[in-house]
Amino acid sequence: WSTARRLTAAALKPRVSTTEPTPYSWINPAEAGPSNYAGRLSGKAIAIKENISYTLGPTSCSSDALQGYRPPFNATCVQSLLENGAHIVGQTKMDEFGMGSLTSHMPEHYTPVHNPSGPASDTGPRSAGGSSGGSAAAVAEGSCWAALGTDTGGSVRLPASYCGVVGLKPSYGMISRHGVVAYADSLDCVGILARDVDTVSSVFSTISHPDERDMTCATATTRQSAAALLAFHFPSLSPSSLKGLRIGLPIETHLPSPNVQLPPSLLEHLLSLGATLHAVSLPNLHLALPAYYVLASAEASSNLARYGGVWFGSEKEKEDSREGESGLERRRRMRTEGFGGEVKKRILAGTHALSADEFNNTYLKALHLRHLLRTDFSRLFRVPHPLDPNTFAPPRGIDLLLHPTATRTAPKLDASQRGDEESEYAQDLLTVPASLAGLPAMSVPAGKGEDGWPVGVSLVGQWGMEHVVLWAGQAVD
Ligand code: GLN
């Protein structure tokens, strides 16, 4: 590792794109240097979102508050990639601290990521989705074999859908968050983007393992319980046959036109492979978005309190103090200058939700809504929740949910061209439910919309049932 580190450190120059809209802050597969390890990912070029700690590149979360910050250790997931022979070839742009759905909330010296997947005739750049838009665009344009993103409320699945690639958000706790910069701890997941399900699957099996350094990471015992349930309920998984697989179509996700619909040919294909389709209901789905934004902002306001120009940030920033400025004034200045508008908005909203006057009415209410939504899911699945095996699981329940990943195809990047369409937050309508329930969810490309831009569909499974999601995903892909 140390040899690789020396070679790579010399070869890779941090480079922030100011003129071209590249999806990465630096990426150069040819210069990445040899890996000291051989393994199942030998020679594979993998890009990582710039909120995942990597000692050889600034882990800046696309924020001025962390420009130049070099973590002293690799995130566990990055270390697992390296130890299996992968090359980390770039760090991908994101919405600042993961807050956004368009990869457009970033410092002025970054250019927002352009979606490379649409028809050439289209006018005006479209968004790659967010917040892992850089990872999705890098995969879609072929700059890397796979990319890591993070998904708190849809940030891997939404960009995957908009860019026409596969994006997996595993069950909460399946991939260690050690070294992943926290946005909202109870929701944050490391996710994987690639051009096909097989690639996602091999990266997932490399980086999904217990980790003592993250106390929320599933232990070996928990994984064994999930594996036992998988073996019992799905004795013969094979992508060529979905015989016996019960797929639920939530009626609440069937939105009126002009929203994206499930392609009828896809449903016929699933039926022809032996799956059965069932209309199911998630009666509290409409509560997911407000619950998510309260909880995510509350956790973010607490997490982001650690940035004040003292412990993190570049050396220059750490030394930047002004004559006569008190510690508090300096902290205020650093935070005012370091955070962008969207991040400040979330900090204010989250602090408000956690304040003494609002706590019961806002934060606790959102927690309650989250509980209602989790109950909606647990009433549907045939397989009991491995972490809560005593809850009732209906024997004739479903194995997977299937619904469009997004309500629309990629929106225009330029806000003035987007017109009076729904707010940025509304784009997360169909992705936040699985985040709040901690369930595995994967967006798989399912053709093009009327405008010629990619459409993605999501498969959502019981906690720990990634293999079922991947199995059915192969049939869709
Ligand atoms: N768009 C959502 C938000 O801004 C989700 C982001 C994410 O998953 N990181 O919070």
Side-chain angles (χ1 to χ4, degrees):
W1 165 241
S2 62
T3 319
R5 187 191 152 107
R6 270 201 308 278
L7 284 169
T8 320
L12 287 171
K13 294 269 180 299
R15 166 162 67 83
V16 174
S17 165
T18 46
T19 49
E20 340 145 42
T22 68
Y24 25 77
S25 49
W26 53 261
I27 187 163
N28 195 337
E31 293 175 359
S35 166
N36 273 1
Y37 300 97
R40 69 167 95 171
L41 301 182
S42 273
K44 300 294 188 200
I46 301 188
I48 56 173
K49 187 170 173 178
E50 61 173 3
N51 61 347
I52 303 178
S53 297
Y54 183 40
T55 53
L56 299 188
T59 301
S60 69
C61 301
S62 294
S63 177
D64 271 338
L66 283 178
Q67 282 306 309
Y69 167 63
R70 277 178 187 263
F73 62 93
N74 286 327
T76 299
C77 55
V78 168
Q79 194 60 25
S80 301
L81 291 177
L82 293 168
E83 287 176 8
N84 279 279
H87 291 247
I88 306 300
V89 293
Q91 288 173 298
T92 55
K93 292 179 191 172
M94 54 186 281
D95 283 300
E96 186 176 357
F97 285 106
M99 299 173 189
S101 307
L102 298 166
T103 311
S104 59
H105 300 296
M106 41 178 54
E108 276 171 17
H109 54 95
Y110 278 58
T111 36
V113 176
H114 291 196
N115 188 325
S117 307
S121 56
D122 212 58
T123 53
R126 293 218 191 184
S127 162
S131 63
S132 312
S135 294
V139 166
E141 69 170 28
S143 298
C144 54
W145 179 71
L148 296 188
T150 56
D151 189 313
T152 304
S155 277
V156 160
R157 292 160 286 156
L158 195 66
S161 177
Y162 288 171
C163 292
V165 299
V166 180
L168 170 71
K169 177 203 94 73
S171 311
Y172 179 78
M174 272 295 160
I175 298 176
S176 168
R177 290 185 298 115
H178 174 70
V180 177
V181 179
Y183 163 9
D185 313 56
S186 78
L187 296 152
D188 292 341
C189 293
V190 174
I192 302 153
L193 297 115
R195 282 184 293 282
D196 55 59
V197 176
D198 278 347
T199 307
V200 167
S201 182
S202 57
V203 175
F204 174 68
S205 45
T206 307
I207 62 177
S208 169
H209 50 72
D211 182 14
E212 282 175 357
R213 283 164 296 186
D214 171 8
M215 69 181 190
T216 61
C217 188
T219 59
T221 320
T222 309
R223 288 167 197 264
Q224 276 154 14
S225 326
L229 283 168
L230 179 77
F232 179 75
H233 288 274
F234 306 95
S236 53
L237 292 183
S238 129
S240 56
S241 164
L242 299 183
K243 198 161 173 0
L245 187 75
R246 296 171 62 84
I247 301 180
L249 311 179
I251 46 177
E252 293 79 6
T253 61
H254 189 79
L255 302 167
S257 175
N259 295 296
V260 162
Q261 313 291 338
L262 283 178
S265 56
L266 170 66
L267 302 181
E268 280 158 26
H269 177 60
L270 295 171
L271 286 170
S272 73
L273 291 173
T276 53
L277 303 179
H278 308 266
V280 295
S281 175
L282 289 169
N284 293 301
L285 186 101
H286 63 290
L287 304 175
L289 212 49
Y292 169 81
Y293 273 98
V294 169
L295 296 174
S297 302
E299 292 184 32
S301 70
S302 160
N303 275 321
L304 269 57
R306 63 175 68 105
Y307 305 111
V310 177
W311 298 297
F312 301 94
S314 63
E315 291 307 314
K316 183 185 144 294
E317 267 176 334
K318 285 187 204 164
E319 284 156 17
D320 178 9
S321 54
R322 298 197 179 154
E323 199 58 42
E325 193 177 43
S326 71
L328 190 64
E329 283 163 349
R330 181 172 179 275
R331 179 175 160 84
R332 183 180 298 142
R333 178 172 58 78
M334 289 293 191
R335 288 171 67 81
T336 306
E337 290 169 6
F339 294 139
E342 185 61 28
V343 173
K344 286 179 188 151
K345 195 160 66 173
R346 306 285 183 103
I347 294 175
L348 284 175
T351 308
H352 179 71
L354 293 175
S355 64
D357 284 351
E358 280 302 313
F359 189 76
N360 288 353
N361 230 344
T362 308
Y363 181 73
L364 289 188
K365 211 172 251 178
L367 274 186
H368 177 63
L369 301 187
R370 182 177 191 174
H371 173 74
L372 293 180
L373 199 79
R374 278 173 184 254
T375 312
D376 278 5
F377 279 109
S378 67
R379 286 203 183 112
L380 292 179
F381 287 118
R382 189 168 68 93
V383 179
H385 197 303
L387 297 172
D388 197 4
N390 296 327
T391 49
F392 174 73
R396 296 200 52 74
I398 49 138
D399 301 314
L400 284 178
L401 289 160
L402 175 70
H403 57 76
T405 303
T407 57
R408 49 162 307 146
T409 53
K412 297 268 190 213
L413 250 183
D414 183 348
S416 62
Q417 286 187 24
R418 284 204 292 274
D420 58 353
E421 292 169 70
E422 84 278 13
S423 82
E424 186 179 339
Y425 301 155
Q427 290 177 65
D428 306 330
L429 182 72
L430 301 176
T431 53
V432 291
S435 299
L436 289 167
L439 303 177
M442 181 168 72
S443 180
V444 185
K448 306 268 164 150
E450 281 172 11
D451 55 3
W453 284 80
V455 164
V457 295
S458 278
L459 291 155
V460 182
Q462 177 59 287
W463 192 95
M465 296 298 126
E466 272 77 2
H467 285 98
V468 184
V469 170
L470 292 162
W471 170 43
Q474 272 165 333
V476 174
D477 196 11

